[in-house]
């Protein structure tokens, strides 16, 4: 009866009549066990919540990774489509011809790039001014350029700085 809390009132009354100090014992015991039980219940609730939150975060990370892998595959496919002659380099002409293709333009939007600025895109990607871009340059650019126009401006600035660096290295030897 003591552990299940059944009949506490009768037991306490009987013990208090025998020993008045027993009231303090029962009060302390009930307070301590109630506090312990509340801590156990709280711990179970918190553990369940944390487990669900970690599972949701892990699921979100896996989902983002799958999406990134899909986008990388799509970028590589776009590069292969644009590389008409198959030499591993996309020239300005090949790039513009591929941008005229509605399917390619749609995939560019899917990747997160605005195909309407194809001339600007190619100029930014071709930071060494070689007149062609490699698959690595294309994929790196596409990975960085997705998003708002501010990202494009930053990439254009970065490309300009890389060109200046190349020119400085050429001049300095």
């Amino acid at each position: 009866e003591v552990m299940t809390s059944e009949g506490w009132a009768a037991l306490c009354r009987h013990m208090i009549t025998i020993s008045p100090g027993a009231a303090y014992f029962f009060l302390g015991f009930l307070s301590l066990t109630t506090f312990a039980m509340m801590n156990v219940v709280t711990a179970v609730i918190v553990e369940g919540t944390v487990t669900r939150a970690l599972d949701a975060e892990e699921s979100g990370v896996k989902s983002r990774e799958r999406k990134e892998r899909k986008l990388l595959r799509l970028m590589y496919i776009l590069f292969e489509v644009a590389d008409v002659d198959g030499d591993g380099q996309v020239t300005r002409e090949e790039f513009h011809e591929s941008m005229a293709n509605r399917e390619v333009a749609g995939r560019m939007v899917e990747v997160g790039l605005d195909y309407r600025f194809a001339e600007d895109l190619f100029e930014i990607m071709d930071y060494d001014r070689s007149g062609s871009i490699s698959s690595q340059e294309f994929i790196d650019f596409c990975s960085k350029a997705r998003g708002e126009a501010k990202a494009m401006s930053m990439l254009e600035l970065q490309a300009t700085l890389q060109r200046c660096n190349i020119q400085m290295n050429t001049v300095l030897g």
Side-chain angles (χ1 to χ4, degrees):
E1 289 182 357
V2 172
M3 293 308 291
T4 61
S5 302
E6 294 176 20
W8 268 99
L11 181 63
C12 285
R13 275 190 219 105
H14 177 68
M15 289 301 293
I16 290 172
T17 57
I18 295 172
S19 172
Y24 296 114
F25 168 76
F26 285 112
L27 183 62
F29 181 76
L30 281 173
S31 297
L32 186 63
T33 55
T34 302
F35 179 72
M37 287 303 294
M38 290 305 295
N39 278 339
V40 169
V41 168
T42 303
V44 169
I45 291 170
V46 168
E47 182 181 4
T49 303
V50 168
T51 300
R52 281 191 299 277
L54 288 175
D55 288 345
E57 182 179 340
E58 187 176 312
S59 171
V61 167
K62 286 180 181 178
S63 175
R64 282 190 299 277
E65 286 174 354
R66 276 192 306 273
K67 187 184 259 186
E68 283 297 316
R69 281 193 302 271
K70 179 183 174 190
L71 284 173
L72 282 173
R73 280 192 303 274
L74 182 59
M75 289 175 206
Y76 190 73
I77 290 169
L78 282 170
F79 181 83
E80 286 181 331
V81 168
D83 185 17
V84 177
D85 59 6
D87 65 348
Q89 298 285 321
V90 174
T91 64
R92 179 177 280 106
E93 294 76 26
E94 289 175 326
F95 186 75
H96 290 296
E97 285 175 20
S98 67
M99 290 299 116
N101 181 334
R102 285 182 186 251
E103 183 180 342
V104 171
R107 299 231 179 195
M108 288 292 281
V109 170
E110 196 175 325
V111 168
L113 298 173
D114 193 345
Y115 69 92
R116 295 175 296 175
F117 302 108
E119 182 65 35
D120 294 336
L121 291 176
F122 188 85
E123 289 300 318
I124 295 170
M125 284 187 264
D126 186 24
Y127 68 88
D128 60 358
R129 303 247 189 220
S130 64
S132 63
I133 53 175
S134 68
S135 62
Q136 191 61 46
E137 288 174 316
F138 182 77
I139 290 172
D140 287 347
F141 174 82
C142 290
S143 296
K144 292 176 187 175
R146 292 187 325 224
E148 299 179 14
K150 283 192 254 181
M152 291 292 292
S153 297
M154 291 303 293
L155 284 171
E156 188 173 5
L157 178 62
Q158 182 181 6
T160 303
L161 287 173
Q162 287 175 337
R163 285 186 201 113
C164 289
N165 188 24
I166 289 170
Q167 288 175 352
M168 290 297 289
N169 287 337
T170 304
V171 169
L172 296 176

